[in-house]
Amino acid sequence: MSNFELKHKNASKFSEHVAYKITQCLKFLLNIFYGKKYAKRAVILETIAAVPGMVAGMFNHLKALRRMKDDDGWIRELLDEAENERMHLMIFLDIAKPSWIERSLVLLGQGVFIFVYGLIYVLSSKIAHRVVGYFEEEACKSYTEYLNKIDEGEVENVIAPKMAIDYYKLPSDAMLRDVILRIRDDEAKHRDRNHLFADAYESKNLPAHQH
Ligand SMILES: [Fe+2]
Ligand SMILES: [Fe+2]
């Protein structure tokens, strides 16, 4: 059973305000293009969401080599996060097909985002993880709205994509709603872990890996 909870970490410190502002700017941009188009919005969201884990994983991998120090298993966790987000993308591609304009926008967006996120990570890993924490808060909200629309009958609850059934080991008659519940649980986990990573940078006490 899921113990999903919508949560928000109040921004009190300067670094938290910066991270929150960055997230709000990204959200604003996304809303201009995809206010209520949930499936398409999810496709675009996931192309971005799958970047930070890989970038953070790479920087921590290099850091472990440089410092000749164990990473307590969190490189693996960050890479797993990136892979999990990539699977979300593959699942939504079954539901919404992006146009060539959207594909070009994603291409451009990735170029900018990988550069900006990499730069933030180098300047302040704490802020970088906080950004992901806030980003995932928004993802949780967005998927909650998506679920509400399905419940209200505004969005059709189609049969779950085969890829999602395999990935989440769902029963063969699972529906889109079941899939979104699982995806939202993933986002909640990313949210909590990234806020925790940011807290840990604050206290210089990095948490151990968690499954
Ligand atoms: Fe995701
Ligand atoms: Fe996520």
Side-chain angles (χ1 to χ4, degrees):
M1 250 344 260
S2 155
N3 44 9
F4 175 82
E5 227 186 298
L6 270 177
K7 280 192 221 160
H8 171 58
K9 184 180 174 19
N10 263 326
S12 53
K13 301 187 183 71
F14 176 71
S15 65
E16 293 166 355
H17 284 292
V18 172
Y20 193 63
K21 275 275 165 306
I22 294 173
T23 311
Q24 292 305 309
C25 287
L26 280 171
K27 184 185 168 185
F28 178 75
L29 273 177
L30 202 66
N31 274 340
I32 296 177
F33 294 105
Y34 299 102
K36 299 285 164 210
K37 290 181 236 159
Y38 292 96
K40 284 226 167 176
R41 186 195 172 101
V43 168
I44 306 295
L45 200 77
E46 299 294 355
T47 65
I48 299 168
V51 171
M54 187 57 72
V55 172
M58 180 192 73
F59 279 122
N60 281 286
H61 170 77
L62 296 176
K63 187 162 98 183
L65 303 181
R66 253 185 352 256
R67 299 197 179 166
M68 302 181 196
K69 228 179 129 209
D70 186 51
D71 70 313
D72 284 324
W74 66 299
I75 295 172
R76 183 73 266 159
E77 183 173 346
L78 291 163
L79 296 179
D80 284 346
E81 181 191 296
E83 191 183 349
N84 179 236
E85 299 287 19
R86 182 165 45 79
M87 285 309 296
H88 293 171
L89 172 65
M90 297 303 137
I91 289 168
F92 278 114
L93 280 176
D94 234 70
I95 298 162
K97 301 271 179 278
S99 66
W100 70 268
I101 299 178
E102 288 164 320
R103 285 176 182 273
S104 323
L105 269 176
V106 165
L107 207 71
L108 199 74
Q110 184 177 89
V112 175
F113 188 65
I114 204 161
F115 176 75
V116 172
Y117 193 77
L119 193 68
I120 298 174
Y121 210 92
V122 169
L123 294 176
S124 169
S125 307
K126 178 172 72 178
I127 293 181
H129 283 292
R130 192 68 76 198
V131 168
V132 178
Y134 283 131
F135 196 90
E136 301 284 359
E137 284 184 10
E138 294 300 331
C140 289
K141 271 196 237 166
S142 182
Y143 285 125
T144 301
E145 274 178 43
Y146 199 163
L147 287 168
N148 290 340
K149 293 293 164 194
I150 290 177
D151 293 342
E152 289 163 9
E154 226 174 279
V155 173
E156 194 189 348
N157 191 14
V158 293
I159 291 172
K162 165 96 175 52
M163 187 181 280
I165 292 178
D166 293 344
Y167 184 64
Y168 288 115
K169 299 190 177 63
L170 295 171
S172 56
D173 59 348
M175 306 298 280
L176 174 63
R177 191 179 192 285
D178 306 307
V179 177
I180 296 177
L181 280 172
R182 299 298 292 269
I183 291 179
R184 192 179 64 166
D185 282 346
D186 290 342
E187 311 299 16
K189 183 184 167 204
H190 303 157
R191 171 195 68 196
D192 296 343
R193 290 300 284 171
N194 277 281
H195 273 317
L196 198 75
F197 284 147
D199 291 344
Y201 269 107
E202 199 95 45
S203 60
K204 300 264 181 294
N205 181 16
L206 293 178
H209 175 63
Q210 194 192 52
H211 280 287

